Amino acid sequence: MSDRLARHTRVWLSAHADWRADVALHEPRLVEWFARGWPAVVARRAADDPDPRMRLGVPLPPAEGKQRLALRVPVQDIVRQAPPLALAEVIARPDLPAEWRLPLQAMAAIAPARVFGAFAWQALTGLAYVHARSDVDLLWDIADADAAEYLVERLRAWEQTFARRVDGELCLPGGAAVNWREYAGAAREVLVKRVDGAVLEARERIFGSPGFAGRSPARSDTPCVSNAIHPKNSQCHQGAAVRT
Protein backbone atom coordinates (compact mmCIF):
# COMPACT_ATOMS: atom_id res chain seq x y z
CA MET A 1 0.00 0.00 0.00
CA SER A 2 1.25 3.50 -0.83
CA ASP A 3 2.52 5.66 2.03
CA ARG A 4 1.11 8.73 0.23
CA LEU A 5 -2.62 8.13 0.34
CA ALA A 6 -4.69 11.19 -0.45
CA ARG A 7 -6.01 13.48 2.25
CA HIS A 8 -9.56 12.60 3.35
CA THR A 9 -9.07 8.93 2.38
CA ARG A 10 -10.84 6.67 4.88
CA VAL A 11 -8.63 3.92 6.34
CA TRP A 12 -9.31 0.96 8.61
CA LEU A 13 -6.59 -0.45 10.85
CA SER A 14 -5.73 -4.05 11.64
CA ALA A 15 -6.77 -5.38 15.04
CA HIS A 16 -3.12 -5.35 16.15
CA ALA A 17 -2.10 -2.07 14.53
CA ASP A 18 0.83 -0.33 16.21
CA TRP A 19 -0.78 3.11 16.24
CA ARG A 20 0.10 5.93 18.63
CA ALA A 21 -1.97 8.99 19.49
CA ASP A 22 -0.26 12.37 19.36
CA VAL A 23 -1.81 13.05 22.78
CA ALA A 24 -1.62 10.06 25.12
CA LEU A 25 -4.85 11.03 26.91
CA HIS A 26 -6.74 10.44 23.64
CA GLU A 27 -5.69 6.80 23.34
CA PRO A 28 -8.61 5.29 25.37
CA ARG A 29 -11.16 7.06 23.14
CA LEU A 30 -9.35 5.91 20.03
CA VAL A 31 -9.31 2.33 21.32
CA GLU A 32 -13.11 2.53 21.69
CA TRP A 33 -13.43 4.12 18.27
CA PHE A 34 -11.51 1.43 16.41
CA ALA A 35 -13.22 -1.32 18.40
CA ARG A 36 -16.48 -0.15 16.78
CA GLY A 37 -14.97 -0.79 13.37
CA TRP A 38 -14.93 2.90 12.43
CA PRO A 39 -12.24 4.42 10.19
CA ALA A 40 -9.81 7.26 10.56
CA VAL A 41 -8.93 9.66 7.73
CA VAL A 42 -5.59 10.52 6.15
CA ALA A 43 -4.39 13.95 7.31
CA ARG A 44 -1.90 16.40 5.87
CA ARG A 45 1.64 16.23 7.18
CA ALA A 46 4.47 18.75 7.12
CA ALA A 47 6.81 18.50 4.15
CA ASP A 48 9.81 18.18 6.49
CA ASP A 49 8.16 15.65 8.81
CA PRO A 50 10.78 12.92 9.48
CA ASP A 51 8.21 10.42 10.84
CA PRO A 52 7.61 7.74 8.16
CA ARG A 53 4.28 6.65 9.66
CA MET A 54 0.93 7.65 8.19
CA ARG A 55 -0.70 10.65 9.86
CA LEU A 56 -4.40 10.08 10.58
CA GLY A 57 -7.25 11.94 12.24
CA VAL A 58 -10.52 11.16 14.00
CA PRO A 59 -12.94 14.07 14.52
CA LEU A 60 -15.32 13.60 17.44
CA PRO A 61 -18.95 14.84 17.39
CA PRO A 62 -20.17 18.07 19.03
CA ALA A 63 -21.27 16.15 22.14
CA GLU A 64 -17.58 15.39 22.73
CA GLY A 65 -16.41 18.92 22.09
CA LYS A 66 -15.64 18.42 18.38
CA GLN A 67 -12.13 17.33 19.36
CA ARG A 68 -9.84 16.24 16.55
CA LEU A 69 -7.78 13.26 17.62
CA ALA A 70 -4.49 12.78 15.79
CA LEU A 71 -2.51 9.57 15.54
CA ARG A 72 0.29 7.87 13.62
CA VAL A 73 0.34 4.35 12.25
CA PRO A 74 2.72 2.29 10.08
CA VAL A 75 1.29 2.02 6.59
CA GLN A 76 1.41 -1.79 6.71
CA ASP A 77 -1.14 -1.73 9.56
CA ILE A 78 -3.79 -0.26 7.27
CA VAL A 79 -5.93 -3.14 6.02
CA ARG A 80 -8.51 -1.23 4.00
CA GLN A 81 -8.90 2.14 2.36
CA ALA A 82 -11.77 3.96 0.63
CA PRO A 83 -12.46 7.44 -0.74
CA PRO A 84 -14.89 9.74 1.06
CA LEU A 85 -18.58 8.93 0.66
CA ALA A 86 -20.19 10.07 -2.56
CA LEU A 87 -22.76 12.83 -2.12
CA ALA A 88 -25.38 10.53 -3.65
CA GLU A 89 -24.73 7.99 -0.88
CA VAL A 90 -25.35 10.58 1.82
CA ILE A 91 -28.55 11.82 0.15
CA ALA A 92 -29.87 8.26 -0.05
CA ARG A 93 -29.53 7.66 3.69
CA PRO A 94 -32.83 7.59 5.60
CA ASP A 95 -31.28 9.40 8.57
CA LEU A 96 -30.37 12.49 6.51
CA PRO A 97 -32.08 15.49 8.18
CA ALA A 98 -35.22 16.21 6.15
CA GLU A 99 -34.43 19.91 5.81
CA TRP A 100 -31.18 19.04 4.02
CA ARG A 101 -32.54 16.61 1.42
CA LEU A 102 -33.69 19.17 -1.14
CA PRO A 103 -30.59 21.40 -0.82
CA LEU A 104 -28.27 18.42 -1.23
CA GLN A 105 -30.23 17.09 -4.18
CA ALA A 106 -29.82 20.51 -5.80
CA MET A 107 -26.10 20.40 -5.01
CA ALA A 108 -25.78 16.97 -6.61
CA ALA A 109 -27.40 18.36 -9.75
CA ILE A 110 -24.62 20.96 -10.03
CA ALA A 111 -21.76 18.46 -10.08
CA PRO A 112 -20.74 15.09 -8.62
CA ALA A 113 -18.95 15.44 -5.30
CA ARG A 114 -17.69 13.52 -2.30
CA VAL A 115 -18.47 14.35 1.29
CA PHE A 116 -16.27 14.84 4.33
CA GLY A 117 -16.97 16.57 7.63
CA ALA A 118 -20.13 16.31 9.73
CA PHE A 119 -22.43 14.72 7.15
CA ALA A 120 -19.88 12.05 6.32
CA TRP A 121 -19.11 11.16 9.92
CA GLN A 122 -22.75 10.99 10.90
CA ALA A 123 -23.39 8.61 8.01
CA LEU A 124 -20.36 6.48 8.92
CA THR A 125 -20.93 6.22 12.67
CA GLY A 126 -24.56 7.04 13.42
CA LEU A 127 -23.38 9.59 15.98
CA ALA A 128 -24.92 13.08 16.00
CA TYR A 129 -22.56 15.32 14.04
CA VAL A 130 -25.05 17.39 12.03
CA HIS A 131 -26.80 20.27 13.83
CA ALA A 132 -28.85 23.32 12.87
CA ARG A 133 -25.77 25.39 12.01
CA SER A 134 -23.87 22.69 10.16
CA ASP A 135 -22.15 23.33 6.84
CA VAL A 136 -21.80 20.66 4.19
CA ASP A 137 -18.19 19.84 3.27
CA LEU A 138 -17.52 18.62 -0.28
CA LEU A 139 -14.74 17.71 -2.71
CA TRP A 140 -14.98 18.36 -6.46
CA ASP A 141 -12.68 17.17 -9.23
CA ILE A 142 -11.64 20.22 -11.29
CA ALA A 143 -9.74 19.96 -14.56
CA ASP A 144 -9.07 23.61 -15.46
CA ALA A 145 -9.77 27.25 -14.65
CA ASP A 146 -12.97 27.35 -16.74
CA ALA A 147 -14.40 24.45 -14.76
CA ALA A 148 -13.41 26.14 -11.50
CA GLU A 149 -15.17 29.38 -12.45
CA TYR A 150 -18.25 27.45 -13.56
CA LEU A 151 -18.47 25.65 -10.24
CA VAL A 152 -17.78 28.74 -8.13
CA GLU A 153 -20.66 30.63 -9.77
CA ARG A 154 -23.08 27.80 -9.06
CA LEU A 155 -21.94 27.32 -5.47
CA ARG A 156 -22.54 31.00 -4.77
CA ALA A 157 -26.02 30.74 -6.30
CA TRP A 158 -26.75 27.59 -4.25
CA GLU A 159 -25.85 29.38 -1.01
CA GLN A 160 -28.14 32.29 -1.88
CA THR A 161 -31.01 30.01 -2.86
CA PHE A 162 -30.91 27.77 0.20
CA ALA A 163 -29.41 30.13 2.80
CA ARG A 164 -26.89 27.46 3.73
CA ARG A 165 -23.14 27.24 3.58
CA VAL A 166 -21.02 24.83 1.56
CA ASP A 167 -17.34 24.41 2.33
CA GLY A 168 -14.85 22.21 0.59
CA GLU A 169 -12.03 21.90 -1.88
CA LEU A 170 -11.38 21.97 -5.59
CA CYS A 171 -9.26 18.88 -6.34
CA LEU A 172 -6.71 19.82 -8.99
CA PRO A 173 -4.80 17.90 -11.65
CA GLY A 174 -1.53 16.69 -10.15
CA GLY A 175 -2.75 15.81 -6.69
CA ALA A 176 -3.33 19.14 -4.91
CA ALA A 177 -6.42 21.01 -3.69
CA VAL A 178 -7.55 24.54 -2.88
CA ASN A 179 -10.44 25.76 -0.76
CA TRP A 180 -13.23 26.78 -3.15
CA ARG A 181 -14.11 29.93 -1.21
CA GLU A 182 -10.50 31.05 -1.10
CA TYR A 183 -10.19 30.43 -4.84
CA ALA A 184 -13.36 32.46 -5.39
CA GLY A 185 -11.90 35.44 -3.52
CA ALA A 186 -9.77 38.30 -4.75
CA ALA A 187 -6.41 37.36 -3.19
CA ARG A 188 -3.52 37.06 -5.63
CA GLU A 189 -2.31 33.91 -3.88
CA VAL A 190 -4.23 30.90 -2.57
CA LEU A 191 -3.18 28.10 -0.24
CA VAL A 192 -2.55 24.90 -2.18
CA LYS A 193 -2.77 21.75 -0.06
CA ARG A 194 -1.06 18.43 -0.64
CA VAL A 195 -0.74 15.37 1.55
CA ASP A 196 2.83 16.41 2.44
CA GLY A 197 2.16 20.06 3.22
CA ALA A 198 0.72 23.31 1.90
CA VAL A 199 2.12 26.34 0.08
CA LEU A 200 0.83 29.68 -1.20
CA GLU A 201 0.56 29.70 -4.98
CA ALA A 202 -0.17 32.57 -7.39
CA ARG A 203 -3.76 32.25 -8.59
CA GLU A 204 -2.83 32.40 -12.27
CA ARG A 205 -0.45 29.47 -11.82
CA ILE A 206 -2.92 27.12 -10.15
CA PHE A 207 -3.79 25.28 -13.35
CA GLY A 208 -0.72 26.14 -15.40
CA SER A 209 2.34 25.55 -13.25
CA PRO A 210 4.60 22.49 -13.60
CA GLY A 211 3.31 21.38 -10.22
CA PHE A 212 -0.10 20.68 -11.70
CA ALA A 213 0.44 19.95 -15.37
CA GLY A 214 1.81 16.91 -17.11
CA ARG A 215 1.32 14.48 -14.23
CA SER A 216 0.11 10.95 -14.73
CA PRO A 217 -3.48 10.28 -13.59
CA ALA A 218 -3.68 9.34 -9.94
CA ARG A 219 -4.56 5.88 -8.77
CA SER A 220 -7.99 4.83 -7.60
CA ASP A 221 -7.14 5.71 -3.97
CA THR A 222 -8.11 9.32 -4.63
CA PRO A 223 -10.97 10.76 -2.59
CA CYS A 224 -12.00 13.10 -5.37
CA VAL A 225 -14.76 12.26 -7.77
CA SER A 226 -13.95 10.55 -11.06
CA ASN A 227 -15.93 12.95 -13.25
CA ALA A 228 -14.49 16.32 -14.17
CA ILE A 229 -16.86 19.27 -14.16
CA HIS A 230 -17.73 20.47 -17.63
CA PRO A 231 -17.68 24.28 -17.80
CA LYS A 232 -20.29 24.52 -20.56
CA ASN A 233 -23.32 22.89 -18.97
CA SER A 234 -24.59 21.02 -15.96
CA GLN A 235 -23.41 17.64 -17.22
CA CYS A 236 -20.02 16.10 -16.52
CA HIS A 237 -17.58 14.24 -18.74
CA GLN A 238 -15.21 11.45 -17.77
CA GLY A 239 -11.86 12.64 -16.46
CA ALA A 240 -8.98 11.25 -14.47
CA ALA A 241 -9.45 11.23 -10.72
CA VAL A 242 -6.87 13.22 -8.80
CA ARG A 243 -5.47 13.03 -5.31
CA THR A 244 -5.87 15.89 -2.85
Side-chain angles (χ1 to χ4, degrees), residues 66-125:
K66 299 180 69 173
Q67 294 185 80
R68 297 180 180 273
L69 312 187
L71 64 147
R72 304 270 184 158
V73 66
V75 66
Q76 63 268 23
D77 288 344
I78 296 174
V79 295
R80 178 186 164 202
Q81 58 171 295
L85 292 171
L87 178 56
E89 294 179 81
V90 173
I91 293 172
R93 290 187 60 86
D95 57 353
L96 177 69
E99 65 273 17
W100 272 97
R101 192 167 302 278
L102 180 60
L104 293 187
Q105 288 172 338
M107 179 64 73
I110 295 172
R114 292 196 178 271
V115 186
F116 66 106
F119 282 86
W121 287 108
Q122 183 159 304
L124 290 167
T125 66

Side-chain angles (χ1 to χ4, degrees), residues 114-167:
R114 292 196 178 271
V115 186
F116 66 106
F119 282 86
W121 287 108
Q122 183 159 304
L124 290 167
T125 66
L127 300 178
Y129 281 82
V130 178
H131 53 80
R133 297 181 302 280
S134 288
D135 306 330
V136 59
D137 301 291
L138 301 175
L139 302 166
W140 301 271
D141 191 9
I142 298 296
D144 52 42
D146 286 343
E149 294 300 327
Y150 167 87
L151 180 61
V152 163
E153 289 178 5
R154 281 148 185 80
L155 295 181
R156 285 170 167 162
W158 182 92
E159 290 192 325
Q160 292 178 353
T161 299
F162 294 101
R164 297 177 188 275
R165 181 181 173 94
V166 54
D167 285 329

Side-chain angles (χ1 to χ4, degrees), residues 12 18 23 31 33 42 44 46-47 53 55 65 85 92 105 113-114 130-132 146 149 160 208 212 244:
W12 286 260
D18 184 24
V23 178
V31 168
W33 183 273
V42 175
R44 188 172 71 242
R53 296 173 298 174
R55 187 169 184 268
L85 292 171
Q105 288 172 338
R114 292 196 178 271
V130 178
H131 53 80
D146 286 343
E149 294 300 327
Q160 292 178 353
F212 301 115
T244 55

Side-chain angles (χ1 to χ4, degrees), residues 158-233:
W158 182 92
E159 290 192 325
Q160 292 178 353
T161 299
F162 294 101
R164 297 177 188 275
R165 181 181 173 94
V166 54
D167 285 329
E169 298 177 350
L170 311 180
C171 300
L172 310 174
V178 298
N179 180 279
W180 87 264
R181 200 176 301 278
E182 184 175 353
Y183 181 85
R188 296 179 61 183
E189 294 182 319
V190 296
L191 187 67
V192 178
K193 302 175 185 177
R194 299 178 181 85
V195 72
D196 58 354
V199 64
L200 286 172
E201 184 84 14
R203 177 184 305 278
E204 63 270 18
R205 289 176 52 83
I206 292 297
F207 292 99
S209 70
F212 301 115
R215 302 277 186 92
S216 299
R219 301 181 310 278
S220 60
D221 60 19
T222 173
C224 292
V225 296
S226 60
N227 291 328
I229 295 172
H230 195 291
K232 301 300 184 183
N233 54 49

